[in-house]
Amino acid sequence: KYITKIHMNDEHQENEIMISNKIKQIKRFSQYFSPIISNCKIDLAEVHNNESNKCDFIREHPADNNKYMSTKTIYVEGTTYADYLIELSKMSLPLSAMHPLDKALANNFSIIIVEIYKKLITATNKLLTQGICHYDLKTSNIIIKKQTNQPIIIDFGITMVPEEIQT
């Protein structure tokens, strides 16, 4: 499954495409990241008017057709890390209020968090090895895969390669 988005074709999109191409060079990148897989410029004149009118973005930015781009990323079935933490916290109570059998569950909460952080450290290390700095790594830019609890880093829009920054 994929997610397709329409964006303004600007320097941020060009940067995200460049970063995505670097990420795709990482061995088994899809275990850690969801970069742009493919992209193309789109001609809005070829999009049926009824369909384009449903899109607030296109109505609000009736720009020249060369200013739009379609991007495709791999769909990650799961929840944001922020929502995941909220759900985990609902399952835990203060240790003093717990039945002895439930204390083991509370311990699992800590183990789960530590395991996710270990995976995030591995992922960010893989980015750094490619000279990539995410710059917007936060709980809403991490998806926890539903079946595996694997964190997947998304949204590379303001990610940079520090060596390529021109002052």
Side-chain angles (χ1 to χ4, degrees), residues 22-23 29 37-38 41 44-45 67 69 101 107 121 123 136 144-145 160-161:
K22 289 180 88 52
I23 290 170
F29 72 89
I37 300 299
S38 63
K41 292 183 179 179
L44 292 178
K67 293 189 177 183
M69 176 178 288
L101 294 175
N107 191 37
I121 289 168
D136 196 24
I144 304 298
K145 248 180 160 173
M160 295 183 191
V161 177

Side-chain angles (χ1 to χ4, degrees), residues 27-33 123 126 145 150-153:
K27 191 174 182 180
R28 296 187 303 273
F29 72 89
S30 63
Q31 291 181 356
Y32 306 96
F33 315 107
K126 289 182 180 294
K145 248 180 160 173
Q150 175 71 30
I152 304 295
I153 298 173

Side-chain angles (χ1 to χ4, degrees), residues 5-61:
K5 296 180 183 179
I6 296 175
H7 308 269
M8 291 292 282
N9 187 15
D10 59 16
E11 62 192 42
H12 296 289
Q13 276 315 117
E14 295 296 330
N15 180 66
E16 187 166 6
I17 291 164
M18 183 267 300
I19 295 294
S20 292
N21 289 334
K22 289 180 88 52
I23 290 170
K24 289 185 287 188
Q25 295 172 14
I26 298 171
K27 191 174 182 180
R28 296 187 303 273
F29 72 89
S30 63
Q31 291 181 356
Y32 306 96
F33 315 107
S34 183
I36 292 173
I37 300 299
S38 63
N39 64 285
C40 64
K41 292 183 179 179
I42 58 172
D43 182 353
L44 292 178
E46 294 181 15
V47 176
H48 192 277
N49 205 22
N50 289 338
E51 291 302 313
S52 63
N53 283 335
K54 292 179 187 177
C55 180
D56 292 337
F57 176 78
I58 293 172
R59 279 198 319 271
E60 293 168 9
H61 300 90

